[in-house]
Amino acid sequence: MAATAAPDAAPLEDRPLGRATEVLFGARGGRYPHGNSLLVRGAEETALIDPSLGMHLRRDRLPAVDRVLHSHCHEDHIAGSGLFPDAPWHFHALDLPGIRSLDGLMAIYGFPPGVDAPFRKVVLEEFHFVPRADALAFEDRDVFDLGGGVRVRAIHAPGHTRGHSFLHVEPDDVLYLGDVDLSSFGPYYGDAWSDLEAFERTLALARQLEARWYATFHHIGVIEGRAAFLERLERFAAVIGDRERRLLAYLAEPHTLDEIAAHRFVYRPQDPVPFAEPVERRSMGQHLARLVAAGRVEEVEPGRFLAR
Ligand SMILES: [Zn+2]
């Protein structure tokens, strides 16, 4: 299995934040397919948030966990959940179908058959996917009271998936941002269940949220303080505008959506990403649709688009 290979075998860092919270870092700084999980210990219960592949690398020292919470249902965020079969698993109600069956998970991505079939194998073999028919739903603003003043509050933050949520930990004032990961890659809204404009509303919401610590699943890991967070957030959010500007420039000549997807605006042309085509099509199709609606791009003949 890839996650036990030499580059990932380095000791993984566990970093306490405040009195109840601990970041369980993934291999390679949490770079995909790895990620950073959060452990929250209350007086009565311990919750684990987003068990990543890193939990498999900690199999010799797994924490006792009473509840598993998930920011959303994607393969890398549930990769370690199967190590906790006796704890209840929680997801936002809108992402719940993804954990109930492999078909449910694959519907979230919405890949065409040629991408879907090999990715199912990856999800099962490399991400240890375990379906859970009895997983439980939470809603926006639901609170998990872990005892002793330790609470985790869900904040619905859709766009990446329909149910994507932030999780805020009290009293340590840690805001777990899931896949609003503040990376230079920028926001991912390339699944069937993604929504560009919902993601933009989530970014606006994130600007309003105050916390001492901000934690992401990938890349950044932990940021202290609102000023550093807002700086990262603006850089992350700006990638959306960059993609749209590059699309408009490309449409100085008429192009089809097939050509737009092949040109690549989300991934770099040299990146060997097996699902790049459907993700480019889905992501840039949303930009195209709103540029057409705003009158900034015109369908000059069926299926061919030109900037005005
Ligand atoms: Zn995700």
Side-chain angles (χ1 to χ4, degrees), residues 73-262:
C73 195
H74 264 164
E75 74 287 357
D76 43 342
H77 298 252
I78 56 179
S81 302
L83 296 168
F84 305 94
D86 301 325
W89 298 0
H90 300 262
F91 292 81
H92 187 280
L94 292 174
D95 271 17
L96 208 50
I99 199 63
R100 293 211 159 127
S101 69
L102 182 56
D103 285 341
L105 179 64
M106 297 313 294
I108 290 180
Y109 310 117
F111 291 147
V115 176
D116 179 281
F119 198 61
R120 277 174 192 258
K121 202 166 135 62
V122 168
V123 162
L124 289 169
E125 293 175 7
E126 294 174 31
F127 290 98
H128 314 277
F129 176 73
V130 179
R132 184 82 185 253
D134 67 350
L136 300 170
F138 61 73
E139 302 280 353
D140 186 40
R141 306 286 154 175
D142 277 0
V143 174
F144 297 90
D145 190 341
L146 307 182
V150 178
R151 293 182 198 87
V152 181
R153 182 186 304 271
I155 302 167
H156 189 209
H160 180 71
T161 64
R162 292 176 187 165
H164 184 279
S165 297
F166 299 147
L167 294 160
H168 181 256
V169 181
E170 294 169 13
D172 295 330
D173 202 12
V174 178
L175 184 65
Y176 188 72
L177 296 161
D179 270 353
V180 176
D181 65 11
L182 311 178
S183 62
S184 56
F185 175 85
Y188 176 97
Y189 40 87
D191 285 0
W193 282 29
S194 301
D195 186 312
L196 166 59
E197 296 194 347
F199 209 130
E200 290 176 317
R201 288 190 292 274
T202 280
L203 293 168
L205 167 71
R207 286 184 191 104
Q208 309 302 318
L209 297 176
E210 309 225 4
R212 173 167 180 207
W213 306 97
Y214 298 82
T216 68
F217 186 72
H218 298 296
H219 303 276
I220 303 305
V222 177
I223 291 176
E224 182 171 10
R226 189 168 153 76
F229 165 67
L230 288 176
E231 189 196 317
R232 290 276 193 179
L233 184 68
E234 290 319 318
R235 256 188 286 165
F236 178 72
V239 174
I240 294 176
D242 288 344
R243 289 176 187 150
E244 197 152 300
R245 272 188 293 281
R246 286 191 289 125
L247 176 60
L248 271 173
Y250 182 65
L251 294 179
E253 301 289 332
H255 288 290
T256 65
L257 185 54
D258 282 350
E259 290 165 344
I260 292 168

